[in-house]
């Protein structure tokens, strides 16, 4: 009679910082990855002004303020120097912003700093038609796209 027994042990190697995962808006990225967050707007109503803020957690993401893009907005201005927020606006004398077909409203690149779950969100404070009346939120849609760069 002979008997044998065997056992095996699986050793999980320690996680290196470069392998740590962050979940940003539901997608997984490594610490150190650079991502681009883009917001696209579509509205049948032309507008002369818009004011928005993009909110994020600066302990999780570092904004690359040189990579802000707002090319489709007339008279666009941006303040990226705030903690956890980038504010931007566009102002024109007439409703020259035509987003009847979906176009890029805003994009910025970020570096992932920490392995945690976080979101980047956009908040529209005002969007004004040619008569400087507020355009209701059911008259426009904003969609987000996040991609690794």
């Amino acid at each position: 009679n002979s008997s044998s027994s065997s056992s095996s042990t699986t050793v999980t190697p320690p996680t290196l910082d470069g392998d740590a995962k962050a979940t940003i808006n539901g997608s997984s990225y490594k610490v150190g990855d650079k991502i681009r967050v883009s917001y696209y707007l579509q509205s049948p109503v032309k507008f002369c002004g818009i004011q928005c803020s993009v909110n994020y957690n600066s302990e999780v993401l570092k904004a690359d303020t040189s990579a802000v893009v707002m090319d489709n907005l007339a008279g666009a201005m941006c303040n990226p120097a705030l903690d956890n927020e980038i504010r931007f606006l566009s102002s024109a004398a007439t409703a020259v912003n035509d987003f009847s077909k979906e176009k890029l409203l805003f994009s910025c690149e970020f570096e992932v700093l920490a392995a945690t779950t976080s979101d980047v969100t956009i908040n529209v404070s005002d969007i004004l038609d040619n008569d400087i009346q507020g355009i209701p939120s059911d008259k426009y849609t904003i969609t987000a796209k996040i991609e690794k760069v």
Side-chain angles (χ1 to χ4, degrees):
N1 282 348
S2 69
S3 69
S4 71
S5 66
S6 65
S7 67
S8 65
T9 304
T10 303
V11 176
T12 304
T15 302
L16 303 174
D17 285 343
D19 294 332
K21 301 284 186 183
T23 302
I24 310 297
N25 288 39
S27 295
S28 183
Y29 302 96
K30 291 181 182 178
V31 170
D33 280 351
K34 294 195 185 282
I35 61 172
R36 179 180 301 118
V37 178
S38 303
Y39 291 100
Y40 293 85
L41 173 70
Q42 184 172 11
S43 175
V45 182
K46 290 182 182 179
F47 59 94
C48 62
I50 188 169
Q51 183 174 349
C52 301
S53 61
V54 174
N55 301 98
Y56 64 97
N57 183 338
S58 61
E59 293 179 7
V60 179
L61 296 169
K62 178 182 177 186
D64 179 353
T65 57
S66 69
V68 171
V69 176
M70 302 177 296
D71 293 346
N72 293 318
L73 290 172
M77 295 175 274
C78 179
N79 182 356
L82 304 167
D83 286 337
N84 301 310
E85 179 180 35
I86 299 170
R87 290 186 191 163
F88 70 95
L89 63 87
S90 167
S91 181
T94 59
V96 296
N97 292 296
D98 182 357
F99 283 74
S100 53
K101 293 186 179 177
E102 186 178 70
K103 288 193 233 175
L104 178 67
L105 175 65
F106 172 91
S107 75
C108 183
E109 292 180 11
F110 294 87
E111 180 181 352
V112 178
L113 301 176
T116 189
T117 299
S118 189
D119 287 330
V120 180
T121 59
I122 189 167
N123 299 302
V124 178
S125 300
D126 290 305
I127 183 168
L128 305 173
D129 66 14
N130 205 40
D131 297 321
I132 312 179
Q133 299 295 314
I135 299 171
S137 61
D138 64 349
K139 296 290 183 190
Y140 62 88
T141 57
I142 296 178
T143 55
K145 178 182 178 185
I146 300 179
E147 59 192 332
K148 185 177 172 186
V149 291

